[in-house]
Amino acid sequence: QQQVKQSPQSLIVQKGGISIINCAYENTAFDYFPWYQQFPGKGPALLIAIRPDVSEKKEGRFTISFNKSAKQFSLHIMDSQPGDSATYFCAADRSTGFQKLVFGTGTRLLVSP
Amino acid sequence: GAVVSQHPSRVICKSGTSVKIECRSLDFQATTMFWYRQFPKQSLMLMATSNEGSKATYEQGVEKDKFLINHASLTLSTLTVTSAHPEDSSFYICSARQKGGRTNTEAFFGQGTRLTVV
């Protein structure tokens, strides 16, 4: 119940295309869903996050779509650029009480020039 | 966003020696710090959670005598890998959460430490 399933494991997208990464969770107590971007040899950095009271959040080229009933959320990267090539992790968290971030397995994105 | 500084970024040590990794929250007070280990092409594996002034809570399978964690202040946590062996070679990452209120706040990550044991 604590798992967050992430797919695909790897993704190749042409420059200018749309990258889509999907995640699914089981525990309905989760109420905060961040996405992290990690470059090789670096720690993860928060990219964008969403709470279940909205179905979509957009920040620049990055959009999270959230489906509460299906317990799924996804990251869309519009106009993908070579600089977006990185590993992306979704995560699930709780706003209250002591809880650890639960990470997805990660998606390695390669944006070809 | 808030800054978490992790030091060193890379360290090479001889087998049998101990290595200390520092994690500092530079512009906020971190009630809770987390230590992760990441193997190549894999997700982050939580090793332990440390709360300021109390003993760390280790995840199942993590040897607390081998991975010593100290969270002496609201801005500093350390991970000491004792009697390191080549199998301890990995990428270690810390994370810190801000103190305050009833709700959990954003988790910020350090830049990671690449440990190589030779």
Side-chain angles (χ1 to χ4, degrees):
Chain A
Q1 244 207 346
Q2 290 293 85
Q3 285 186 335
V4 176
K5 296 181 180 179
Q6 183 171 348
S7 63
Q9 189 174 26
S10 62
L11 182 61
I12 300 175
V13 173
Q14 283 195 331
K15 179 182 176 181
I18 303 173
S19 305
I20 301 174
I21 304 170
N22 301 298
C23 285
Y25 63 100
E26 291 291 326
N27 190 344
T28 55
F30 291 137
D31 59 1
Y32 180 68
F33 302 90
W35 284 88
Y36 290 89
Q37 180 187 55
Q38 185 181 30
F39 292 104
K42 304 294 183 182
L46 178 67
L47 193 61
I48 186 173
I50 196 168
R51 296 189 186 277
D53 52 346
V54 296
S55 60
E56 186 176 283
K57 184 174 182 180
K58 183 176 181 179
E59 289 184 1
R61 296 185 294 109
F62 302 93
T63 300
I64 299 178
S65 297
F66 187 83
N67 186 328
K68 188 175 181 178
S69 60
K71 292 185 284 187
Q72 295 175 348
F73 58 109
S74 60
L75 175 69
H76 295 235
I77 305 175
M78 313 299 287
D79 188 26
S80 299
Q81 299 296 312
D84 297 330
S85 298
T87 299
Y88 293 82
F89 294 97
C90 62
D93 195 7
R94 285 172 58 179
S95 295
T96 58
F98 175 69
Q99 188 69 3
K100 302 163 280 193
L101 270 175
V102 179
F103 283 93
T105 49
T107 297
R108 299 184 74 192
L109 172 65
L110 175 63
V111 181
S112 59
Chain B
V3 177
V4 173
S5 177
Q6 190 173 337
H7 177 80
S9 57
R10 291 176 177 269
V11 59
I12 301 173
C13 71
K14 290 185 177 180
S15 187
T17 62
S18 295
V19 174
K20 180 183 285 187
I21 302 170
E22 289 190 350
C23 181
R24 293 180 183 274
S25 56
L26 296 186
D27 51 1
F28 67 98
Q29 293 183 320
T31 310
T32 307
M33 287 189 172
F34 304 87
W35 286 94
Y36 295 86
R37 183 172 180 176
Q38 188 176 32
F39 293 101
K41 300 182 182 181
Q42 292 191 24
S43 189
L44 285 74
M45 181 187 78
L46 181 65
M47 299 174 64
T49 303
S50 73
N51 291 294
E52 183 262 341
S54 62
K55 289 185 178 180
T57 301
Y58 290 81
E59 294 298 301
Q60 191 173 10
V62 178
E63 299 176 61
K64 62 180 180 181
D65 294 330
K66 180 165 191 61
F67 299 100
L68 301 179
I69 292 172
N70 183 279
H71 192 164
S73 76
L74 283 171
T75 59
L76 174 65
S77 177
T78 59
L79 167 67
T80 301
V81 182
T82 62
S83 186
H85 288 94
E87 57 264 31
D88 299 324
S89 298
S90 192
F91 192 56
Y92 294 88
I93 307 169
C94 71
S95 172
R97 288 197 120 131
Q98 285 180 280
K99 176 183 178 182
R102 294 177 54 247
T103 60
N104 290 326
T105 56
E106 187 55 59
F108 298 96
F109 288 82
Q111 57 266 56
T113 297
R114 171 72 60 193
L115 170 64
T116 303
V117 184
V118 298

